[in-house]
Amino acid sequence: WDDLLAFLADRYPAAKTLRAVNREMADAYIRHLQVTGKYERGIHFQRTGRRKEISYLRPAGSISAKTVNDYLGDIKQVFTTLTPDAGLPVNPFAHLSKQRAQHSEREAFTAEELQLIGQRADPFLYPLFAVGITTGLRAGDICTLRWAEVDLAGGWINREMLKTKRVVRVPLLPSLRQYLSSLPRSGELVLPDLAAMYHQNPTGI
């Protein structure tokens, strides 16, 4: 909703109320999502309780058909609910149909490409890369990993997965054990900065 408001404010500044939104504006916004991606590209994150801020621009580029469909469905529902009170003759998004998802095969990185990513990863990406490439854990499970789940001496990670609630036991490869051993222990979380961002803005991760 905030992304739509930002789009309307810049492209159609005269549209101050729901009643002013028409099909042309609806078409233009959904087309922007399909071709360019989200209108608001700026991401800003501030960790609570500490003076630490992360700001960056989301790269331009199209987003998946599923994401566009999610945006369209949510916005359409808002207008459907508010159309009578707003005095709109018709929901301006009602004529828009969901896209058919395009499924494509994902190719794995080569060993050389993975080595290059590891060498050039910045401090934000490297922890995700280092843990992910050796364990196969999802981003959320990496960000919220706790020291109590890491057995450095025994060489295991024992983790209840966020998505499936299934407990997994993942071996610690020597490179990951060495990396985790080098991290400071400032609390119960292995990667506290990533955990804080994940809880506030998981898509930013």
Side-chain angles (χ1 to χ4, degrees):
W1 184 253
D2 287 339
D3 196 62
L4 170 63
L5 293 183
F7 176 84
L8 293 174
D10 287 348
R11 300 291 181 86
Y12 303 93
K16 302 293 186 183
T17 64
L18 262 65
R19 189 171 184 174
V21 180
N22 57 35
R23 286 179 55 152
E24 175 194 338
M25 300 173 191
D27 289 338
Y29 178 65
I30 297 302
R31 186 166 58 250
H32 187 281
L33 287 179
Q34 294 168 342
V35 175
T36 310
K38 288 188 64 173
Y39 184 74
E40 282 278 77
R41 291 175 53 212
I43 295 293
H44 179 75
F45 164 73
Q46 184 171 10
R47 183 174 178 183
T48 305
R50 291 179 63 183
R51 293 181 178 177
K52 181 156 187 176
E53 297 183 357
I54 299 172
S55 296
Y56 63 94
L57 283 179
R58 180 185 290 106
S62 60
I63 52 182
S64 71
K66 179 185 181 304
T67 300
V68 174
N69 290 340
D70 288 343
Y71 271 66
L72 175 59
D74 289 345
I75 292 169
K76 190 182 289 188
Q77 184 60 47
V78 171
F79 274 90
T80 297
T81 303
L82 298 179
T83 286
D85 292 333
L88 276 164
V90 65
N91 181 342
F93 288 84
H95 68 287
L96 292 166
S97 301
K98 290 186 175 182
Q99 288 182 280
R100 179 175 295 177
Q102 299 291 326
H103 297 287
S104 58
E105 294 296 325
R106 296 183 182 181
E107 295 185 4
F109 290 109
T110 65
E112 291 76 16
E113 289 169 335
L114 290 172
Q115 187 174 28
L116 191 61
I117 293 171
Q119 290 170 352
R120 298 192 178 180
D122 60 23
F124 175 84
L125 176 60
Y126 190 80
L128 293 167
F129 176 81
V131 180
I133 195 175
T134 54
T135 64
L137 293 175
R138 297 180 180 90
D141 290 299
I142 296 172
C143 293
T144 58
L145 188 64
R146 299 188 304 273
W147 284 116
E149 299 167 325
V150 179
D151 179 5
L152 289 174
W156 296 95
I157 291 176
N158 298 288
R159 170 80 181 177
E160 180 181 292
M161 307 293 280
L162 293 177
K163 184 175 182 180
T164 65
K165 303 303 179 186
R166 185 169 62 91
V167 177
V168 298
R169 193 167 192 239
V170 183
L172 279 177
L173 296 183
S175 60
L176 180 57
R177 186 189 299 194
Q178 181 179 1
Y179 172 68
L180 293 177
S181 298
S182 71
L183 296 178
R185 295 201 183 196
S186 56
E188 66 169 338
L189 294 164
V190 177
L191 303 167
D193 288 343
L194 286 177
M197 184 174 183
Y198 177 79
H199 288 307
Q200 290 188 29
N201 179 24
T203 56
I205 298 292

